[in-house]
Amino acid sequence: MSIQVSNISKRYGAQLALDNVSFTISPGEIVGLLGPNGAGKSTMMKIITCFIPPTSGDVSVYGFDIREQSLEVRKKVGYLPENNPLYTDMYIKEYLEFMAGIHQLGKRTAKRVDEIMEMTGLNPERRKKIGALSKGYRQRVGLAQALIHDPDVLILDEPTSGLDPNQLVDIRNLIIEIGKQKTVMLSTHIMQEVEAMCSRAIIINHGKIVADDSTGQLLKHNEETDQVKVEFDKEVSAALLKAVQGVIDVKRISGNIWLIEAGREHDVRQDIFRFAVDNHLAVLSMQKQNTRLEDVFQQLTKK
Ligand code: ADP
Ligand code: MG
């Protein structure tokens, strides 16, 4: 196992930020730690990277215990903290050399800094101070420092937050590329991030795991009902629509456009069509909605 988290709880004073969390991550996985703000994502990551101790429970990284063998754990793990704190007065290279020093790379420093600047696409901006870089390039610097000592595991706390759409795509691709060689755990509160980069999602809410599965399986769990979006030409009452055979729930999206949830036993679209004819309504459009991971996330974390 790359990362083994067993029964981790973390208290900040009276507040329970993590409540008996357990999971394991295998080498080579790219796992998304997904949850709304305040769910406990950063807390989990700080514990795995030995920045704060848990209140109870155990974590091991490649068999090294975070309490007993924290130096070994730090060698194995590269960490991009939330908000990516950087020394804005330093030049990129200077900063990476400084980080290499912390990891005691010694004579290997110059070669490694060159390698990592190439890998993270920093060369075009190599003459700038970190403070003069765009947010996208700062994230590259953050990734570069996390990778400098060639760790097997990368822990990335909201690596794409605050990026514009182009930067976002670049950083995502970079993470996917890096992920081919490493075990990666990244946190986000955005479902699409997980769909774009991860093979598996661990969803946490209020410090508890509410789902842990491959992204494909997470979608299947939600497929007990069909959602059909339909537009009528005239006003319809919710009560009438709800009375249609097979319909479980209805929601007005706007005007005469409705989202209808129905059981899977048969195709509800035929019944809606018959209902429209019987009530002298015209169906202007009707589509079955694809289940999105976004909906799964909302269902699991709405409490
Ligand atoms: P996330 O990263 O998912 O947004 P965090 O792990 O940062 O969540 O926080 C989880 C909960 O713990 C939040 O309610 C937060 O307010 C609380 N918390 C985090 N850090 C501290 C701290 N140093 N002191 C007190 N409470 C904290
Ligand atoms: Mg956080």
Side-chain angles (χ1 to χ4, degrees), residues 36-43 45-46 82-83 157-158 187:
N37 289 329
K41 304 182 293 298
S42 295
T43 301
M45 292 183 146
K46 286 178 199 162
E82 196 169 23
N83 305 320
D157 198 352
E158 309 234 4
S187 72

Side-chain angles (χ1 to χ4, degrees), residues 85-140:
L86 295 169
Y87 294 101
T88 50
D89 257 352
M90 281 188 172
Y91 290 96
I92 298 175
K93 205 166 178 182
E94 188 187 4
Y95 173 66
L96 293 176
E97 283 164 2
F98 168 73
M99 294 307 289
I102 289 178
H103 289 289
Q104 301 176 321
L105 293 196
K107 285 195 193 112
R108 287 170 294 151
T109 296
K111 185 163 171 271
R112 183 62 185 159
V113 168
D114 281 347
E115 260 172 29
I116 217 73
M117 286 185 65
E118 176 71 36
M119 188 199 286
T120 52
L122 280 167
N123 281 326
E125 301 286 68
R126 62 186 303 135
R127 309 213 181 283
K128 288 190 186 164
K129 280 191 177 176
I130 290 171
L133 296 175
S134 69
K135 178 99 204 229
Y137 273 93
R138 284 188 198 206
Q139 285 308 82
R140 287 173 195 264

Side-chain angles (χ1 to χ4, degrees), residues 237-303:
S237 82
L240 264 181
L241 264 179
K242 260 193 187 165
V244 173
Q245 196 199 339
V247 171
I248 296 165
D249 202 6
V250 301
K251 198 162 70 191
R252 190 194 293 271
I253 298 175
S254 69
N256 297 323
I257 304 176
W258 295 82
L259 191 65
I260 295 172
E261 188 185 350
R264 277 258 153 126
E265 312 78 55
H266 69 289
D267 193 337
V268 77
R269 287 177 295 185
Q270 294 178 7
D271 299 294
I272 295 171
F273 197 78
R274 225 170 289 128
F275 160 84
V277 173
D278 291 348
N279 289 277
H280 310 290
L281 298 161
V283 174
L284 299 180
S285 72
M286 180 148 68
Q287 296 120 16
K288 216 156 146 175
Q289 306 289 295
N290 290 325
T291 316
R292 296 169 317 151
L293 222 39
E294 185 80 30
D295 303 326
V296 182
F297 176 57
Q298 276 180 358
Q299 271 187 14
L300 289 168
T301 60
K302 67 188 165 198
K303 285 191 295 285

Side-chain angles (χ1 to χ4, degrees), residues 42-235:
S42 295
T43 301
M44 191 68 245
M45 292 183 146
K46 286 178 199 162
I47 291 171
I48 297 173
T49 52
C50 306
F51 273 78
I52 57 171
T55 306
S56 59
D58 295 300
V59 178
S60 64
V61 178
Y62 279 88
F64 297 113
D65 182 89
I66 50 158
R67 273 185 269 246
E68 309 291 328
Q69 296 158 298
S70 69
L71 280 178
E72 302 300 330
V73 172
R74 282 164 195 255
K75 277 185 202 161
K76 283 277 176 204
V77 175
Y79 176 38
L80 175 64
E82 196 169 23
N83 305 320
N84 188 13
L86 295 169
Y87 294 101
T88 50
D89 257 352
M90 281 188 172
Y91 290 96
I92 298 175
K93 205 166 178 182
E94 188 187 4
Y95 173 66
L96 293 176
E97 283 164 2
F98 168 73
M99 294 307 289
I102 289 178
H103 289 289
Q104 301 176 321
L105 293 196
K107 285 195 193 112
R108 287 170 294 151
T109 296
K111 185 163 171 271
R112 183 62 185 159
V113 168
D114 281 347
E115 260 172 29
I116 217 73
M117 286 185 65
E118 176 71 36
M119 188 199 286
T120 52
L122 280 167
N123 281 326
E125 301 286 68
R126 62 186 303 135
R127 309 213 181 283
K128 288 190 186 164
K129 280 191 177 176
I130 290 171
L133 296 175
S134 69
K135 178 99 204 229
Y137 273 93
R138 284 188 198 206
Q139 285 308 82
R140 287 173 195 264
V141 177
L143 284 170
Q145 66 77 26
L147 286 161
I148 195 85
H149 56 302
D150 197 20
D152 290 316
V153 178
L154 270 188
I155 305 282
L156 311 175
D157 198 352
E158 309 234 4
T160 56
S161 84
L163 299 178
D164 74 30
N166 292 331
Q167 295 168 339
L168 191 76
V169 171
D170 288 347
I171 295 295
R172 274 183 189 168
N173 287 339
L174 186 54
I175 291 171
I176 291 168
E177 199 50 43
I178 295 166
K180 290 179 183 162
Q181 326 283 340
K182 314 263 176 205
T183 305
V184 181
M185 178 175 217
L186 62 91
S187 72
T188 171
H189 58 275
I190 304 161
M191 195 70 225
Q192 287 90 325
E193 294 281 283
V194 173
E195 285 186 285
M197 290 183 280
C198 306
S199 50
R200 170 178 160 204
I202 298 175
I203 305 182
I204 67 169
N205 196 28
H206 300 305
K208 282 197 171 88
I209 293 184
V210 292
D212 176 356
D213 222 326
S214 70
T215 42
Q217 279 299 322
L218 280 171
L219 282 175
K220 275 198 195 140
H221 284 308
N222 198 43
E223 285 182 354
E224 282 149 22
T225 60
D226 273 335
Q227 309 260 345
V228 175
K229 192 166 127 186
V230 55
E231 179 174 9
F232 299 108
D233 65 332
K234 287 196 287 283
E235 178 68 27

